Amino acid sequence: MTFYLARADNGVIGEDGAIPWRIKGEQRRFKDMTMGKPMVMGRKTFESFPAPLPGRRHIVLTRSADWDAEGAEAVHSPEEAILRAGYVDEIAVIGGAEIYRLMLPHADRIELTEVHIDPQGDAVVPDFPAGDWDETARQDFPAEDGQPAYSFVTLTRSR
């Protein structure tokens, strides 16, 4: 199971259902990395898309027993999400903050975009515990053309 997320230096991942920054090429990278994979997400994350993302299953973890949406497979527990994904090479977890918290015990890898700003936001993901995760890759990019400095970081669970 791999987490895919962009997080500001202060832990913010969103505000009012939107991402508070734009980084050229990040959405393409996300698409390339998640294409063909079952994605686990919360209801608010699913509802933030204009339409289901092509080429990927949308497994939506929700507390609402009667929630339903076209293109979504509703589940009600982390275990049910894992079972619904089936036996695949990778399950992509794409947010939001509560879903990351619930799925953290099952994660093996984190593909993190560190955004080097401190925006206001209402969705926050704390740092991943250093003793539990090893940084295995990093690419740093400077601020330019109105976008903040950022880093693509891969973390793998310490064994």
Side-chain angles (χ1 to χ4, degrees):
M1 180 176 295
T2 302
F3 284 12
Y4 292 90
L5 73 149
R7 182 183 67 202
D9 288 339
N10 62 357
V12 167
I13 64 168
E15 177 162 39
D16 295 328
I19 299 171
W21 55 78
R22 289 283 171 246
I23 295 174
K24 185 177 180 178
E26 185 188 28
Q27 289 180 336
R28 169 146 314 274
R29 181 174 185 263
F30 173 82
K31 177 182 179 182
D32 291 345
M33 295 177 88
T34 61
M35 185 58 69
K37 298 174 182 167
M39 298 185 308
V40 174
M41 67 201 78
R43 178 190 51 80
K44 289 179 187 176
T45 297
F46 179 82
E47 291 175 348
S48 73
F49 301 145
L53 303 177
R56 291 153 279 190
R57 289 174 56 205
H58 296 69
I59 300 169
V60 179
L61 184 51
T62 176
R63 291 183 202 98
S64 177
D66 60 350
W67 183 85
D68 186 40
E70 188 169 333
E73 302 172 43
V75 296
H76 307 291
S77 72
E79 295 75 21
E80 188 180 356
I82 293 166
L83 288 172
R84 180 67 61 92
Y87 295 99
V88 294
D89 289 337
E90 180 183 318
I91 299 169
V93 176
I94 65 165
E98 179 67 8
I99 303 306
Y100 291 125
R101 186 187 69 72
L102 289 169
M103 301 303 283
L104 187 59
H106 306 285
D108 304 300
R109 192 172 87 227
I110 300 168
E111 292 294 342
L112 174 64
T113 301
E114 292 178 343
V115 185
H116 302 301
I117 56 174
D118 292 316
Q120 290 187 334
D122 55 13
V124 176
V125 172
D127 287 339
F128 298 102
D132 294 346
W133 298 93
D134 297 318
E135 184 176 308
T136 57
R138 173 179 288 272
Q139 288 181 281
D140 297 315
F141 301 89
E144 62 183 15
D145 298 328
Q147 73 182 17
Y150 63 98
S151 304
F152 292 145
V153 180
T154 300
L155 303 172
T156 56
R157 188 171 295 276
S158 301
R159 298 290 173 200

